[in-house]
Amino acid sequence: RPGLALCAGCGGRIQDPFLLRVSPDLEWHVACLKCAECGQPLDETCTCFLRDGKAYCKRDYSRLFGIKCAQCRAAFSSSDLVMRARDQVYHLECFRCAACGRQLLPGDQFCLRERDLL
């Protein structure tokens, strides 16, 4: 469909012989598909994430929109073990009693007072 598509990045017609399609209705010139945050080119060799019509690299998408630990506020990696308390998610090492600092392990009883684990 070169010549018929409009680039989601620059808005111009895509006359190039190749285009990048990220979703059924969003197409880019190869040179225009870049991370909206860091500017890294996004091509077939890397993962691309969309949010509100903008494309992001995996690192920036995770940093900006990913779930963050309720204690340290850092993002989670896919290999992190987590603990949950109501709607809060914690790194395993961050799941600690707010009063004494003891790490709470799976099976330990705890309570939440406001946002504090006890």
Side-chain angles (χ1 to χ4, degrees), residues 49-74:
F49 295 85
L50 287 179
R51 176 112 176 201
D52 300 327
K54 293 180 181 177
Y56 296 92
C57 66
K58 183 177 182 176
R59 182 179 48 89
D60 285 329
Y61 186 87
S62 177
R63 181 178 57 80
L64 294 168
F65 307 113
I67 296 172
K68 296 182 177 52
C69 176
Q71 179 63 34
C72 72
R73 305 303 303 154

PDB file of all heavy atoms in Angstrom, residues 49-74:
ATOM      1  N   PHE A  49       6.093  -0.583  21.786  1.00  0.00           N
ATOM      2  CA  PHE A  49       4.868  -0.477  22.571  1.00  0.00           C
ATOM      3  C   PHE A  49       4.143   0.807  22.197  1.00  0.00           C
ATOM      4  O   PHE A  49       4.781   1.845  22.017  1.00  0.00           O
ATOM      5  CB  PHE A  49       5.189  -0.461  24.067  1.00  0.00           C
ATOM      6  CG  PHE A  49       5.784  -1.746  24.557  1.00  0.00           C
ATOM      7  CD1 PHE A  49       7.145  -1.975  24.461  1.00  0.00           C
ATOM      8  CD2 PHE A  49       4.988  -2.727  25.100  1.00  0.00           C
ATOM      9  CE1 PHE A  49       7.698  -3.157  24.902  1.00  0.00           C
ATOM     10  CE2 PHE A  49       5.526  -3.919  25.549  1.00  0.00           C
ATOM     11  CZ  PHE A  49       6.888  -4.132  25.446  1.00  0.00           C
ATOM     12  N   LEU A  50       2.833   0.753  22.099  1.00  0.00           N
ATOM     13  CA  LEU A  50       2.025   1.926  21.756  1.00  0.00           C
ATOM     14  C   LEU A  50       1.195   2.378  22.943  1.00  0.00           C
ATOM     15  O   LEU A  50       0.656   1.561  23.680  1.00  0.00           O
ATOM     16  CB  LEU A  50       1.063   1.600  20.615  1.00  0.00           C
ATOM     17  CG  LEU A  50       1.642   1.451  19.230  1.00  0.00           C
ATOM     18  CD1 LEU A  50       0.550   1.101  18.240  1.00  0.00           C
ATOM     19  CD2 LEU A  50       2.352   2.715  18.792  1.00  0.00           C
ATOM     20  N   ARG A  51       1.087   3.682  23.088  1.00  0.00           N
ATOM     21  CA  ARG A  51       0.203   4.267  24.092  1.00  0.00           C
ATOM     22  C   ARG A  51      -0.241   5.624  23.570  1.00  0.00           C
ATOM     23  O   ARG A  51       0.582   6.468  23.244  1.00  0.00           O
ATOM     24  CB  ARG A  51       0.942   4.420  25.412  1.00  0.00           C
ATOM     25  CG  ARG A  51       0.147   5.101  26.494  1.00  0.00           C
ATOM     26  CD  ARG A  51      -0.183   4.145  27.574  1.00  0.00           C
ATOM     27  NE  ARG A  51      -0.872   4.795  28.663  1.00  0.00           N
ATOM     28  CZ  ARG A  51      -0.923   4.313  29.859  1.00  0.00           C
ATOM     29  NH1 ARG A  51      -0.305   3.191  30.132  1.00  0.00           N
ATOM     30  NH2 ARG A  51      -1.590   4.918  30.792  1.00  0.00           N
ATOM     31  N   ASP A  52      -1.533   5.828  23.471  1.00  0.00           N
ATOM     32  CA  ASP A  52      -2.113   7.094  22.991  1.00  0.00           C
ATOM     33  C   ASP A  52      -1.530   7.517  21.640  1.00  0.00           C
ATOM     34  O   ASP A  52      -1.235   8.686  21.420  1.00  0.00           O
ATOM     35  CB  ASP A  52      -1.902   8.204  24.024  1.00  0.00           C
ATOM     36  CG  ASP A  52      -2.547   7.884  25.367  1.00  0.00           C
ATOM     37  OD1 ASP A  52      -3.605   7.219  25.362  1.00  0.00           O
ATOM     38  OD2 ASP A  52      -1.992   8.282  26.410  1.00  0.00           O
ATOM     39  N   GLY A  53      -1.331   6.557  20.744  1.00  0.00           N
ATOM     40  CA  GLY A  53      -0.835   6.844  19.403  1.00  0.00           C
ATOM     41  C   GLY A  53       0.655   7.117  19.313  1.00  0.00           C
ATOM     42  O   GLY A  53       1.163   7.430  18.242  1.00  0.00           O
ATOM     43  N   LYS A  54       1.382   6.998  20.423  1.00  0.00           N
ATOM     44  CA  LYS A  54       2.827   7.206  20.431  1.00  0.00           C
ATOM     45  C   LYS A  54       3.517   5.866  20.618  1.00  0.00           C
ATOM     46  O   LYS A  54       3.023   4.994  21.339  1.00  0.00           O
ATOM     47  CB  LYS A  54       3.243   8.146  21.559  1.00  0.00           C
ATOM     48  CG  LYS A  54       2.741   9.559  21.382  1.00  0.00           C
ATOM     49  CD  LYS A  54       3.203  10.423  22.530  1.00  0.00           C
ATOM     50  CE  LYS A  54       2.702  11.845  22.387  1.00  0.00           C
ATOM     51  NZ  LYS A  54       3.087  12.665  23.544  1.00  0.00           N
ATOM     52  N   ALA A  55       4.667   5.714  19.996  1.00  0.00           N
ATOM     53  CA  ALA A  55       5.447   4.488  20.089  1.00  0.00           C
ATOM     54  C   ALA A  55       6.575   4.668  21.110  1.00  0.00           C
ATOM     55  O   ALA A  55       7.166   5.751  21.215  1.00  0.00           O
ATOM     56  CB  ALA A  55       6.035   4.134  18.726  1.00  0.00           C
ATOM     57  N   TYR A  56       6.858   3.601  21.869  1.00  0.00           N
ATOM     58  CA  TYR A  56       7.897   3.643  22.895  1.00  0.00           C
ATOM     59  C   TYR A  56       8.736   2.373  22.814  1.00  0.00           C
ATOM     60  O   TYR A  56       8.226   1.301  22.485  1.00  0.00           O
ATOM     61  CB  TYR A  56       7.280   3.710  24.301  1.00  0.00           C
ATOM     62  CG  TYR A  56       6.482   4.956  24.557  1.00  0.00           C
ATOM     63  CD1 TYR A  56       5.122   4.990  24.312  1.00  0.00           C
ATOM     64  CD2 TYR A  56       7.096   6.107  25.043  1.00  0.00           C
ATOM     65  CE1 TYR A  56       4.380   6.141  24.541  1.00  0.00           C
ATOM     66  CE2 TYR A  56       6.362   7.258  25.278  1.00  0.00           C
ATOM     67  CZ  TYR A  56       5.010   7.266  25.020  1.00  0.00           C
ATOM     68  OH  TYR A  56       4.275   8.395  25.243  1.00  0.00           O
ATOM     69  N   CYS A  57      10.005   2.495  23.172  1.00  0.00           N
ATOM     70  CA  CYS A  57      10.840   1.311  23.343  1.00  0.00           C
ATOM     71  C   CYS A  57      10.411   0.630  24.639  1.00  0.00           C
ATOM     72  O   CYS A  57       9.738   1.230  25.481  1.00  0.00           O
ATOM     73  CB  CYS A  57      12.331   1.677  23.373  1.00  0.00           C
ATOM     74  SG  CYS A  57      12.852   2.665  24.796  1.00  0.00           S
ATOM     75  N   LYS A  58      10.811  -0.615  24.803  1.00  0.00           N
ATOM     76  CA  LYS A  58      10.394  -1.382  25.979  1.00  0.00           C
ATOM     77  C   LYS A  58      10.842  -0.721  27.283  1.00  0.00           C
ATOM     78  O   LYS A  58      10.089  -0.641  28.239  1.00  0.00           O
ATOM     79  CB  LYS A  58      10.961  -2.804  25.883  1.00  0.00           C
ATOM     80  CG  LYS A  58      10.535  -3.705  26.998  1.00  0.00           C
ATOM     81  CD  LYS A  58      11.068  -5.104  26.791  1.00  0.00           C
ATOM     82  CE  LYS A  58      10.594  -6.025  27.895  1.00  0.00           C
ATOM     83  NZ  LYS A  58      11.025  -7.404  27.669  1.00  0.00           N
ATOM     84  N   ARG A  59      12.071  -0.236  27.318  1.00  0.00           N
ATOM     85  CA  ARG A  59      12.623   0.368  28.540  1.00  0.00           C
ATOM     86  C   ARG A  59      11.816   1.596  28.958  1.00  0.00           C
ATOM     87  O   ARG A  59      11.416   1.726  30.116  1.00  0.00           O
ATOM     88  CB  ARG A  59      14.096   0.745  28.316  1.00  0.00           C
ATOM     89  CG  ARG A  59      14.785   1.345  29.534  1.00  0.00           C
ATOM     90  CD  ARG A  59      16.249   1.665  29.229  1.00  0.00           C
ATOM     91  NE  ARG A  59      16.443   2.390  27.990  1.00  0.00           N
ATOM     92  CZ  ARG A  59      16.418   3.719  27.904  1.00  0.00           C
ATOM     93  NH1 ARG A  59      16.241   4.456  28.952  1.00  0.00           N
ATOM     94  NH2 ARG A  59      16.598   4.302  26.743  1.00  0.00           N
ATOM     95  N   ASP A  60      11.538   2.502  28.019  1.00  0.00           N
ATOM     96  CA  ASP A  60      10.801   3.715  28.361  1.00  0.00           C
ATOM     97  C   ASP A  60       9.331   3.429  28.666  1.00  0.00           C
ATOM     98  O   ASP A  60       8.746   4.045  29.556  1.00  0.00           O
ATOM     99  CB  ASP A  60      10.928   4.754  27.248  1.00  0.00           C
ATOM    100  CG  ASP A  60      12.293   5.410  27.250  1.00  0.00           C
ATOM    101  OD1 ASP A  60      12.892   5.549  28.333  1.00  0.00           O
ATOM    102  OD2 ASP A  60      12.771   5.786  26.170  1.00  0.00           O
ATOM    103  N   TYR A  61       8.728   2.495  27.939  1.00  0.00           N
ATOM    104  CA  TYR A  61       7.332   2.165  28.210  1.00  0.00           C
ATOM    105  C   TYR A  61       7.181   1.618  29.631  1.00  0.00           C
ATOM    106  O   TYR A  61       6.301   2.022  30.382  1.00  0.00           O
ATOM    107  CB  TYR A  61       6.800   1.151  27.199  1.00  0.00           C
ATOM    108  CG  TYR A  61       5.327   0.906  27.360  1.00  0.00           C
ATOM    109  CD1 TYR A  61       4.401   1.714  26.710  1.00  0.00           C
ATOM    110  CD2 TYR A  61       4.852  -0.122  28.165  1.00  0.00           C
ATOM    111  CE1 TYR A  61       3.042   1.509  26.868  1.00  0.00           C
ATOM    112  CE2 TYR A  61       3.501  -0.329  28.330  1.00  0.00           C
ATOM    113  CZ  TYR A  61       2.598   0.483  27.680  1.00  0.00           C
ATOM    114  OH  TYR A  61       1.252   0.284  27.842  1.00  0.00           O
ATOM    115  N   SER A  62       8.082   0.725  30.003  1.00  0.00           N
ATOM    116  CA  SER A  62       8.052   0.148  31.349  1.00  0.00           C
ATOM    117  C   SER A  62       8.268   1.228  32.410  1.00  0.00           C
ATOM    118  O   SER A  62       7.575   1.272  33.423  1.00  0.00           O
ATOM    119  CB  SER A  62       9.121  -0.936  31.462  1.00  0.00           C
ATOM    120  OG  SER A  62       9.159  -1.445  32.756  1.00  0.00           O
ATOM    121  N   ARG A  63       9.229   2.106  32.168  1.00  0.00           N
ATOM    122  CA  ARG A  63       9.537   3.172  33.130  1.00  0.00           C
ATOM    123  C   ARG A  63       8.373   4.141  33.284  1.00  0.00           C
ATOM    124  O   ARG A  63       8.028   4.555  34.385  1.00  0.00           O
ATOM    125  CB  ARG A  63      10.795   3.925  32.671  1.00  0.00           C
ATOM    126  CG  ARG A  63      11.242   5.042  33.608  1.00  0.00           C
ATOM    127  CD  ARG A  63      12.518   5.704  33.090  1.00  0.00           C
ATOM    128  NE  ARG A  63      12.411   6.235  31.758  1.00  0.00           N
ATOM    129  CZ  ARG A  63      11.836   7.404  31.455  1.00  0.00           C
ATOM    130  NH1 ARG A  63      11.320   8.154  32.391  1.00  0.00           N
ATOM    131  NH2 ARG A  63      11.797   7.821  30.204  1.00  0.00           N
ATOM    132  N   LEU A  64       7.732   4.494  32.181  1.00  0.00           N
ATOM    133  CA  LEU A  64       6.667   5.495  32.217  1.00  0.00           C
ATOM    134  C   LEU A  64       5.305   4.935  32.631  1.00  0.00           C
ATOM    135  O   LEU A  64       4.560   5.600  33.348  1.00  0.00           O
ATOM    136  CB  LEU A  64       6.528   6.156  30.841  1.00  0.00           C
ATOM    137  CG  LEU A  64       7.704   6.997  30.377  1.00  0.00           C
ATOM    138  CD1 LEU A  64       7.553   7.338  28.909  1.00  0.00           C
ATOM    139  CD2 LEU A  64       7.814   8.253  31.225  1.00  0.00           C
ATOM    140  N   PHE A  65       4.981   3.730  32.170  1.00  0.00           N
ATOM    141  CA  PHE A  65       3.617   3.234  32.332  1.00  0.00           C
ATOM    142  C   PHE A  65       3.507   1.915  33.084  1.00  0.00           C
ATOM    143  O   PHE A  65       2.396   1.477  33.376  1.00  0.00           O
ATOM    144  CB  PHE A  65       2.964   3.069  30.954  1.00  0.00           C
ATOM    145  CG  PHE A  65       3.041   4.304  30.114  1.00  0.00           C
ATOM    146  CD1 PHE A  65       3.810   4.330  28.961  1.00  0.00           C
ATOM    147  CD2 PHE A  65       2.363   5.457  30.473  1.00  0.00           C
ATOM    148  CE1 PHE A  65       3.888   5.471  28.180  1.00  0.00           C
ATOM    149  CE2 PHE A  65       2.444   6.604  29.704  1.00  0.00           C
ATOM    150  CZ  PHE A  65       3.207   6.606  28.548  1.00  0.00           C
ATOM    151  N   GLY A  66       4.621   1.277  33.369  1.00  0.00           N
ATOM    152  CA  GLY A  66       4.581  -0.021  34.032  1.00  0.00           C
ATOM    153  C   GLY A  66       4.221   0.099  35.504  1.00  0.00           C
ATOM    154  O   GLY A  66       4.319   1.164  36.116  1.00  0.00           O
ATOM    155  N   ILE A  67       3.815  -1.022  36.080  1.00  0.00           N
ATOM    156  CA  ILE A  67       3.516  -1.072  37.514  1.00  0.00           C
ATOM    157  C   ILE A  67       4.820  -0.896  38.267  1.00  0.00           C
ATOM    158  O   ILE A  67       5.849  -1.462  37.901  1.00  0.00           O
ATOM    159  CB  ILE A  67       2.856  -2.413  37.867  1.00  0.00           C
ATOM    160  CG1 ILE A  67       1.517  -2.541  37.164  1.00  0.00           C
ATOM    161  CG2 ILE A  67       2.683  -2.558  39.367  1.00  0.00           C
ATOM    162  CD1 ILE A  67       0.883  -3.907  37.295  1.00  0.00           C
ATOM    163  N   LYS A  68       4.773  -0.129  39.337  1.00  0.00           N
ATOM    164  CA  LYS A  68       5.971   0.141  40.133  1.00  0.00           C
ATOM    165  C   LYS A  68       5.773  -0.377  41.553  1.00  0.00           C
ATOM    166  O   LYS A  68       4.657  -0.452  42.053  1.00  0.00           O
ATOM    167  CB  LYS A  68       6.269   1.632  40.134  1.00  0.00           C
ATOM    168  CG  LYS A  68       6.617   2.131  38.730  1.00  0.00           C
ATOM    169  CD  LYS A  68       6.960   3.577  38.698  1.00  0.00           C
ATOM    170  CE  LYS A  68       7.367   4.046  37.330  1.00  0.00           C
ATOM    171  NZ  LYS A  68       6.502   3.752  36.241  1.00  0.00           N
ATOM    172  N   CYS A  69       6.861  -0.725  42.178  1.00  0.00           N
ATOM    173  CA  CYS A  69       6.845  -1.226  43.548  1.00  0.00           C
ATOM    174  C   CYS A  69       6.293  -0.153  44.481  1.00  0.00           C
ATOM    175  O   CYS A  69       6.706   1.016  44.412  1.00  0.00           O
ATOM    176  CB  CYS A  69       8.256  -1.622  43.966  1.00  0.00           C
ATOM    177  SG  CYS A  69       8.414  -2.156  45.690  1.00  0.00           S
ATOM    178  N   ALA A  70       5.377  -0.547  45.358  1.00  0.00           N
ATOM    179  CA  ALA A  70       4.762   0.399  46.299  1.00  0.00           C
ATOM    180  C   ALA A  70       5.764   0.929  47.315  1.00  0.00           C
ATOM    181  O   ALA A  70       5.557   1.991  47.894  1.00  0.00           O
ATOM    182  CB  ALA A  70       3.591  -0.273  47.018  1.00  0.00           C
ATOM    183  N   GLN A  71       6.876   0.205  47.524  1.00  0.00           N
ATOM    184  CA  GLN A  71       7.878   0.646  48.494  1.00  0.00           C
ATOM    185  C   GLN A  71       8.981   1.490  47.852  1.00  0.00           C
ATOM    186  O   GLN A  71       9.183   2.632  48.216  1.00  0.00           O
ATOM    187  CB  GLN A  71       8.490  -0.564  49.199  1.00  0.00           C
ATOM    188  CG  GLN A  71       9.553  -0.222  50.219  1.00  0.00           C
ATOM    189  CD  GLN A  71       9.000   0.604  51.368  1.00  0.00           C
ATOM    190  OE1 GLN A  71       7.852   0.426  51.761  1.00  0.00           O
ATOM    191  NE2 GLN A  71       9.788   1.501  51.894  1.00  0.00           N
ATOM    192  N   CYS A  72       9.677   0.935  46.865  1.00  0.00           N
ATOM    193  CA  CYS A  72      10.848   1.628  46.296  1.00  0.00           C
ATOM    194  C   CYS A  72      10.520   2.414  45.029  1.00  0.00           C
ATOM    195  O   CYS A  72      11.349   3.174  44.549  1.00  0.00           O
ATOM    196  CB  CYS A  72      11.967   0.630  46.019  1.00  0.00           C
ATOM    197  SG  CYS A  72      11.668  -0.470  44.611  1.00  0.00           S
ATOM    198  N   ARG A  73       9.329   2.249  44.474  1.00  0.00           N
ATOM    199  CA  ARG A  73       8.846   2.956  43.279  1.00  0.00           C
ATOM    200  C   ARG A  73       9.594   2.574  41.990  1.00  0.00           C
ATOM    201  O   ARG A  73       9.423   3.216  40.968  1.00  0.00           O
ATOM    202  CB  ARG A  73       8.876   4.486  43.459  1.00  0.00           C
ATOM    203  CG  ARG A  73       8.120   5.001  44.667  1.00  0.00           C
ATOM    204  CD  ARG A  73       6.655   4.619  44.735  1.00  0.00           C
ATOM    205  NE  ARG A  73       5.925   5.041  43.555  1.00  0.00           N
ATOM    206  CZ  ARG A  73       4.827   4.452  43.104  1.00  0.00           C
ATOM    207  NH1 ARG A  73       4.333   3.425  43.699  1.00  0.00           N
ATOM    208  NH2 ARG A  73       4.225   4.891  42.018  1.00  0.00           N
ATOM    209  N   ALA A  74      10.421   1.546  42.030  1.00  0.00           N
ATOM    210  CA  ALA A  74      11.122   1.075  40.822  1.00  0.00           C
ATOM    211  C   ALA A  74      10.199   0.144  40.039  1.00  0.00           C
ATOM    212  O   ALA A  74       9.322  -0.516  40.608  1.00  0.00           O
ATOM    213  CB  ALA A  74      12.408   0.351  41.207  1.00  0.00           C
TER     214      ALA A  74
END
